[in-house]
Amino acid sequence: HTHTQDLWILDYMEGFLVSKTLFTACELGVFDLLASSQHPLSLEEVALGIRASQDGTERLLAACTGLDLLNTHTQDGHVMYSNTEQSSVYLTQSSPVSLTQSIHYSSKTIYLCWHYLTDAVREGSNQYEKAFGVKSEHLFEALYRSEEEMVKFMQLMNSIWNICGRDVVTAFNLSPFTTIYDLGGCSGALAKQCVLAYPECTVTIFDLPKVVKTSREHFVTDDNQRVSFHEGDFFKDALPDADLYILARILHDWTDVRSIELLTKVYRACRPGGGVLVVEALLCEDGSGPLTAQLYSLNMLVQTEGKERTAAEYTALLTAAGFQNIQVERTGKIYDAVLGRK
Ligand code: SAM
């Protein structure tokens, strides 16, 4: 006989209720409103502030309270709401480590793709066509189907490195490498962590022209003297020579064949004695976890052409491209690091 509190299958069944509650509270600006107020707010004040029904707002605030996203106390017979510490840090737009853009992307893009997870598993391919009506012959044409989608994606990519970027760039001592290229460097969040950790290095963000343009305009300010840009297509264009190439969350987008093609180009461009740093969420060799990487691999199925891999699988890809002395460092956080040398 199982007690309901041990029946985690019920939690799994209803897990999406939690996600949607979080998405909605962020979208309606509940946490921003409470952060901008000098004092806790009543239900009436919140409903007015987010321009929503009182009845709906009351239930939403109650659920957020149950999820420890809001604090409540009673004042003159009224329930008053305020942000918890975690909510102020991660769920307000003005916070430097805000997750609101990622939550928005999860809500408006990933959640819609996951509606077709069953089809993705059956077909073994991503679901852009069903979810958004875009054919995905070129993956990033589908991902960047509008300027708005591209910026949202870049914001999603940006936010995690404020939280765990330092761990991945310091997993190995990268100080011997001074000329670094971050291939598919996107918004430059990891490049910034790299120049912070290593005062001698310069990092060039190599990415598609429209990504570089947006990154220059919106993400990397002029005071980042040691971060620069290079527009290009890493499958089609020549790669500049460098001491170290970073491939963070790149290989997980692509098949083994495409990954080896890219890594081989990197190997050829790499200076002797240089290397490649692969940053990914590593799966355990025995398939037992970590759950985050296992779920991310399903996400790669619905959204990309790739998958999450084990350290042995990355080692095999790097070896096939010519890299040697392959070392693996697990950070204990979401993303790990694999270093190969030429
Ligand atoms: N490295 C970043 C990070 O970890 O936050 C971004 C990872 S994102 C999943 C993949 C990146 O690869 C995007 O910035 C995308 O624009 C870039 N990319 C995709 N195809 C590319 C290509 N053919 N040439 C150059 N960059 C490409």
Side-chain angles (χ1 to χ4, degrees):
H1 192 87
T2 315
H3 292 287
T4 48
Q5 64 263 36
D6 301 327
L7 192 52
W8 29 262
I9 291 174
L10 281 178
D11 291 337
Y12 293 176
M13 182 176 85
E14 294 167 352
F16 73 98
L17 304 188
V18 175
S19 299
K20 282 294 282 183
T21 301
L22 174 66
F23 297 168
T24 300
C26 286
E27 271 155 33
L28 290 171
V30 170
F31 307 106
D32 290 320
L33 176 74
L34 289 169
S36 68
S37 163
Q38 305 299 323
H39 51 83
L41 298 178
S42 67
L43 164 63
E44 290 75 12
E45 289 169 316
V46 176
L48 203 67
I50 65 171
R51 283 182 268 154
S53 71
Q54 269 206 30
D55 180 27
T57 304
E58 185 167 21
R59 299 184 207 201
L60 180 65
L61 298 184
C64 288
T65 306
L67 289 170
D68 288 329
L69 298 175
L70 293 177
N71 287 323
T72 58
H73 69 274
T74 314
Q75 188 184 308
D76 309 327
H78 287 282
V79 181
M80 304 299 284
Y81 298 90
S82 57
N83 285 333
T84 60
E85 199 187 317
Q86 289 227 352
S87 298
S88 344
V89 174
Y90 297 111
L91 300 178
T92 55
Q93 287 189 45
S94 56
S95 165
V97 291
S98 177
L99 289 174
T100 52
Q101 306 287 357
S102 308
I103 290 167
H104 189 68
Y105 191 80
S106 285
S107 169
K108 296 295 177 195
T109 299
I110 300 176
Y111 188 81
L112 303 186
C113 284
W114 276 65
H115 185 72
Y116 300 101
L117 181 61
T118 311
D119 300 82
V121 170
R122 246 186 224 127
E123 298 162 13
S125 57
N126 71 54
Q127 296 296 312
Y128 282 107
E129 206 172 342
K130 283 197 207 79
F132 305 110
V134 284
K135 273 230 193 295
S136 64
E137 218 174 300
H138 295 289
L139 175 63
F140 278 84
E141 279 171 19
L143 264 148
Y144 298 159
R145 59 197 167 279
S146 68
E147 173 87 18
E148 195 197 344
E149 271 301 313
M150 185 185 78
V151 174
K152 277 201 296 184
F153 180 81
M154 291 178 73
Q155 281 160 338
L156 172 80
M157 290 299 110
N158 199 59
S159 55
I160 195 69
W161 300 130
N162 295 324
I163 298 170
C164 49
R166 196 180 162 83
D167 296 281
V168 302
V169 298
T170 58
F172 293 100
N173 176 13
L174 303 179
S175 58
F177 308 109
T178 51
T179 312
I180 300 176
Y181 264 77
D182 188 358
L183 300 178
C186 202
S187 68
L190 199 58
K192 289 178 201 168
Q193 292 293 332
C194 209
V195 296
L196 274 178
Y198 301 102
E200 303 299 318
C201 77
T202 59
V203 182
T204 307
I205 296 161
F206 184 106
D207 213 305
L208 300 167
K210 62 181 180 179
V211 176
V212 165
K213 187 170 171 285
T214 306
S215 192
R216 264 207 184 102
E217 282 169 12
H218 299 293
F219 292 93
V220 181
T221 52
D222 288 337
D223 49 282
N224 283 295
Q225 300 263 338
R226 290 186 288 126
V227 176
S228 58
F229 292 95
H230 188 125
E231 294 180 5
D233 181 321
F234 52 48
F235 285 119
K236 292 188 187 142
D237 300 326
L239 298 179
D241 64 330
D243 300 321
L244 183 74
Y245 299 85
I246 299 176
L247 289 170
R249 298 190 284 184
I250 302 299
L251 300 180
H252 77 170
D253 289 337
W254 307 104
T255 61
D256 287 357
V257 170
R258 289 292 258 173
S259 297
I260 293 171
E261 181 190 332
L262 178 57
L263 286 169
T264 304
K265 277 186 83 172
V266 172
Y267 183 81
R268 290 199 182 123
C270 187
R271 292 177 189 156
V276 64
L277 182 77
V278 173
V279 176
E280 296 285 0
L282 295 181
L283 287 165
C284 299
E285 302 300 334
D286 65 359
S288 64
L291 177 61
T292 306
Q294 292 165 328
L295 294 174
Y296 282 7
S297 200
L298 277 177
N299 193 49
M300 291 302 119
L301 179 66
V302 293
Q303 280 211 289
T304 72
E305 296 174 11
K307 59 181 179 179
E308 306 301 347
R309 296 178 174 91
T310 64
E313 288 172 322
Y314 283 115
T315 303
L317 296 179
L318 288 164
T319 307
F323 287 101
Q324 294 171 343
N325 300 332
I326 293 147
Q327 294 166 273
V328 179
E329 278 295 333
R330 287 172 207 277
T331 66
K333 305 225 173 121
I334 301 173
Y335 292 102
D336 307 297
V338 181
L339 183 68
R341 303 295 297 265
K342 176 167 176 175

